[in-house]
Amino acid sequence: MTTLDREHLPMTPIGLGVVGASSTSRFLCERLSLRSDLCLVAVSGLENSRSHLPPSSTALDVIEAPDVRVIHFAAGSSSHTMLAALAQLKSIIVESPHMLASDELEELAGAADRYGQFAAIYEPRRWDHDFLQARSALESGRLGKLLRLRYSVHDSCLPGELFPLGIAQELGSHVLDQMLQLVGPNAMNVQHGSEPSVVWRYFPSARDRNAGFTANFEFAEAVSAVIEIQTQSLLSYRSGWMVEGTEGAYRNGSLFTQTPDGEIVDEPLSAPTVSSDPFLDAVSDTLRGHCADLPTVRDAIRVAALLFNRTDSIKA
């Protein structure tokens, strides 16, 4: 469903609940107050001084509220509480994959399948313009068979900016999620007994445990990728996605192809249309049975497998 359809078709609002206080959960509550297709029904752990918030209740009250169809769980929520929500036939949104262990994410994914609900991960970077254009170029078929991916960031973080879980997890995980979407499920499958190869190299720093990393990935079907993030560099350079295939390439919003006489053609691609709330759009569409690119707990499991070199758990 397009943004235009959503704005002009009457919809019965679907009820959402929020459990736990965080900057993300407060932001979602603000955005929900502006929508007509989704509405905030119950909250737990959030101050209710603002008029758009319903009275605060317990997490169990939110889970058992009959008008709640999906619940956002902020950082600090337990997997036990999320499993209880799934058992009550509520879909869930996990604010961050880093708040749970991999086995807990696996348990949530299995429970979601068992109860016929979705277990989503709040991953708004899935709608970055550069990523959407790179994926569109791939899906058009004009790049041919995917061969190589590269993403580089050489920049300087803000004074006092900290990454308690490490740069690979806090910054790299968003890029890895995008990479796995570009690589696709076929290249991620273990074929002929070979597993995806992952090599990490961390950049040491005098101020932090590490200042960045380079990660090299070799997937099935001869697909390779390099991700490099440096947070203490004076270069101030961000490559965006660079994608090469057998028939063409993508970089910085342009498609590159070669004519039979060897001329390289640079074709600008149209910018994708993205609403102000693409993640909530995907939640709404999924709840209504429409096809939507909703980031899931299974996506987070695959990202964690690459982060911690558990490539035997990468499955399509």
Side-chain angles (χ1 to χ4, degrees):
M1 182 177 293
T2 67
T3 302
L4 187 63
D5 293 333
R6 186 176 288 102
E7 290 175 351
H8 289 84
L9 289 179
M11 292 185 182
T12 301
I14 293 176
L16 271 75
V18 172
V19 172
S22 69
S23 59
T24 298
S25 65
R26 294 186 184 95
F27 171 76
L28 287 178
C29 289
E30 293 279 357
R31 300 309 301 175
L32 286 169
S33 68
L34 303 175
R35 299 182 69 98
S36 60
D37 57 339
L38 301 170
C39 63
L40 186 62
V41 173
V43 299
S44 171
L46 279 169
E47 65 276 8
N48 58 4
S49 57
R50 299 182 181 180
S51 59
H52 67 269
L53 290 181
S56 184
S57 55
T58 67
L60 182 60
D61 290 334
V62 176
I63 291 172
E64 293 182 344
D67 295 334
V68 169
R69 289 272 306 278
V70 59
I71 302 172
H72 173 90
F73 288 93
S77 303
S78 69
S79 62
H80 177 75
T81 308
M82 299 178 202
L83 289 169
L86 290 168
Q88 288 286 328
L89 303 184
K90 316 285 184 173
S91 291
I92 66 171
I93 300 168
V94 183
E95 181 170 295
S96 168
H98 311 311
M99 58 195 266
L100 299 173
S102 291
D103 58 341
E104 293 176 311
L105 292 174
E106 290 275 9
E107 192 174 12
L108 289 177
D113 291 342
R114 188 162 63 252
Y115 294 114
Q117 306 299 310
F118 67 72
I121 287 286
Y122 183 70
E123 181 49 85
R125 292 286 299 276
R126 187 73 68 87
W127 288 272
D128 286 355
H129 278 214
D130 179 65
F131 165 69
L132 291 178
Q133 287 185 302
R135 188 172 65 176
S136 176
L138 264 176
E139 292 175 348
S140 73
R142 299 180 64 188
L143 269 60
K145 179 183 177 294
L146 176 63
L147 296 176
R148 291 175 293 276
L149 297 165
R150 187 175 187 96
Y151 187 97
S152 298
V153 173
H154 296 266
D155 215 335
S156 180
C157 61
L158 298 173
E161 190 173 11
L162 301 175
F163 306 98
L165 298 178
I167 290 167
Q169 279 186 263
E170 297 203 28
L171 299 182
S173 60
H174 304 293
V175 181
L176 294 183
D177 175 74
Q178 293 181 359
M179 178 191 72
L180 290 180
Q181 297 303 306
L182 294 173
V183 169
N186 291 334
M188 288 162 54
N189 284 335
V190 175
Q191 297 183 355
H192 309 298
S194 65
E195 297 175 355
S197 170
V198 186
V199 178
W200 291 86
R201 177 174 177 264
Y202 294 93
F203 303 143
S205 165
R207 289 184 291 169
D208 305 309
R209 186 176 63 177
N210 67 74
F213 66 89
T214 295
N216 293 270
F217 306 90
E218 296 290 338
F219 295 102
E221 300 183 356
V223 175
S224 64
V226 177
I227 308 296
E228 185 176 42
I229 296 180
Q230 169 63 273
T231 63
Q232 294 184 22
S233 171
L234 302 181
L235 293 174
S236 188
Y237 170 76
R238 294 171 179 259
S239 69
W241 280 107
M242 294 185 285
V243 185
E244 292 188 80
T246 55
E247 304 295 331
Y250 166 85
R251 177 178 62 84
N252 194 28
S254 293
L255 176 69
F256 298 85
T257 54
Q258 193 170 39
T259 63
D261 60 0
E263 179 186 1
I264 297 177
V265 179
D266 177 352
E267 177 186 339
L269 300 177
S270 58
T273 301
V274 180
S275 76
S276 59
D277 289 314
F279 178 81
L280 289 177
D281 289 347
V283 169
S284 178
D285 289 345
T286 302
L287 289 168
R288 288 179 164 82
H290 303 301
C291 181
D293 184 21
L294 188 62
T296 67
V297 165
R298 292 199 186 278
D299 295 330
I301 293 169
R302 290 192 280 269
V303 169
L306 294 180
L307 280 169
F308 302 108
N309 281 23
R310 291 194 300 272
T311 52
D312 58 311
S313 66
I314 299 178
K315 298 290 188 289

